[in-house]
Amino acid sequence: MTIAPGRTADLYPTRGTTEVATPRLDPVVWSAPEAPGPLGATDLAAFERDGFLSMERLITPDEVELYRRELERLTSDPDVRDDPRAITEPSSREIRTVFEVHDLSEVFGALVRDPRLVGRARQILGSDVYVHQSRINVKPGFGASGFYWHSDFETWHAEDGLPHMRTVSVSIALTENHDTNGGLMIMPGSHRTFLGCSGETPADNYKKSLQMQDAGTPSDESLTKFAEEHGIELFTGPAGSATWFDCNCMHGSGDNITPFPRSNVFIVFNSVENEAVEPFAAPVRRPSYIGARDFTPVG
């Protein structure tokens, strides 16, 4: 492979004329097994195998109430609604997602620096970390739409320029996650294969994809094969529970047509040794509030 001067090698081609499956070329857990940290050997082995790790209680009930009140404050603030970092439902115009909440809110800013989060992220990624993305997701009852099947890394590689799979996400439930209200679904083991999707990335694709994904969407045939090989796990649990998952897990969530809302705070930690470069399969970078360009470590 010939690489242009100053250009990082593209290990995971995507957004070409055809769909291409590439075996994972990066570690899943980057630290040594004996490295100190809050996660034990059993948890790290489970994360290595499945690509995710669920926790019944990451934050306390009092903290849940604090973050829930802050979520409600942000989603009811007219200035936030008019901010480009807020994404609304196409039909109701209700706020669905608010990005860069650790910058908008001191409350969520403190959360991303919490040792319970940062310590686990460092242990999985084997280095200091920075926040590549943070957001709150809101799924009110009676019709909030879901997120179609996708690998986050496919988008972060194609449109944000992350070179390697050295990124981990944590989704913290701020409401009860039932098996009926549009919870997170992951295909365990899918993180070991990168599925490069077909089709070019339109200019300003992020404006459309944050409401309804198109570019970077796997084919029905590939999703069927993945599901047959790996199965699908649905995550339920009380408010305060959390799911850590690898950046290349195939995951999605369904619509919420129940009366029971589902809201969560979502934080993406990236290794400081995996700084974003220019996008690998997009004409321009996404805005920094979606894919950070400030690589300052959190701590």
Side-chain angles (χ1 to χ4, degrees):
M1 178 187 298
T2 301
I3 304 169
R7 179 67 180 175
T8 302
D10 185 357
L11 301 180
Y12 301 103
T14 189
R15 312 279 175 102
T17 55
T18 59
E19 208 171 42
V20 179
T22 303
R24 185 187 186 110
L25 301 172
D26 292 309
V28 178
V29 175
W30 289 72
S31 61
E34 66 275 9
L39 293 173
T42 301
D43 286 338
L44 287 175
F47 189 87
E48 176 88 31
R49 180 189 65 241
D50 298 328
F52 59 80
L53 184 65
S54 58
M55 299 177 176
E56 185 75 10
R57 180 72 66 194
L58 180 63
I59 60 175
T60 68
D62 287 344
E63 290 172 313
V64 168
E65 286 304 312
L66 171 67
Y67 298 131
R68 187 182 290 163
R69 287 196 301 270
E70 184 68 355
L71 179 149
E72 291 171 354
R73 183 189 72 81
L74 289 169
T75 55
S76 61
D77 185 336
D79 290 335
V80 173
R81 182 182 301 275
D82 293 337
D83 193 291
R85 290 173 284 191
I87 309 301
T88 58
E89 284 281 350
S91 55
S92 66
R93 302 300 298 164
E94 293 296 315
I95 289 181
R96 165 179 176 160
T97 299
V98 181
F99 282 94
E100 208 173 40
V101 289
H102 69 292
D103 184 63
L104 281 172
S105 160
E106 292 183 2
V107 172
F108 287 118
L111 177 63
V112 303
R113 298 188 298 272
D114 191 304
R116 291 169 295 181
L117 277 65
V118 179
R120 288 174 168 86
R122 286 176 179 151
Q123 193 175 4
I124 291 169
L125 301 180
S127 70
D128 282 335
V129 297
Y130 70 92
V131 177
H132 176 71
Q133 186 185 102
S134 72
R135 66 179 188 259
I136 48 175
N137 290 329
V138 183
K139 268 193 180 181
F142 300 116
S145 55
F147 293 87
Y148 197 68
W149 291 105
H150 64 286
S151 153
D152 286 331
F153 180 75
E154 193 280 336
T155 297
W156 298 339
H157 182 70
E159 300 185 42
D160 296 339
L162 293 191
H164 294 280
M165 296 180 182
R166 201 171 179 179
T167 314
V168 66
S169 302
V170 59
S171 176
I172 305 172
L174 301 182
T175 53
E176 180 84 14
N177 281 252
H178 303 284
D179 59 2
T180 53
N181 66 340
L184 174 67
M185 296 181 288
I186 295 179
M187 297 183 187
S190 59
H191 62 303
R192 295 195 171 279
T193 303
F194 176 76
L195 189 60
C197 299
S198 62
E200 292 185 358
T201 309
D204 292 338
N205 177 61
Y206 75 93
K207 293 181 179 179
K208 178 182 177 183
S209 66
L210 296 176
Q211 292 183 323
M212 185 173 295
Q213 196 167 353
D214 186 13
T217 301
S219 68
D220 291 351
E221 293 77 12
S222 292
L223 288 172
T224 300
K225 290 178 181 177
F226 267 51
E228 289 174 345
E229 179 179 355
H230 302 293
I232 296 173
E233 183 158 339
L234 170 67
F235 294 89
T236 60
S241 60
T243 303
W244 292 85
F245 58 102
D246 178 82
C247 58
N248 192 45
C249 284
M250 191 65 69
H251 67 287
S253 63
D255 296 349
N256 182 13
I257 61 172
T258 75
F260 310 114
R262 176 181 174 266
S263 299
N264 70 305
V265 55
F266 182 83
I267 302 164
V268 181
F269 294 103
N270 188 40
S271 168
V272 296
E273 298 173 10
N274 189 40
E275 292 182 2
V277 294
E278 290 305 309
F280 286 92
V284 294
R285 303 173 181 178
R286 297 196 299 175
S288 60
Y289 61 80
I290 300 176
R293 294 284 161 172
D294 179 354
F295 311 127
T296 306
V298 296

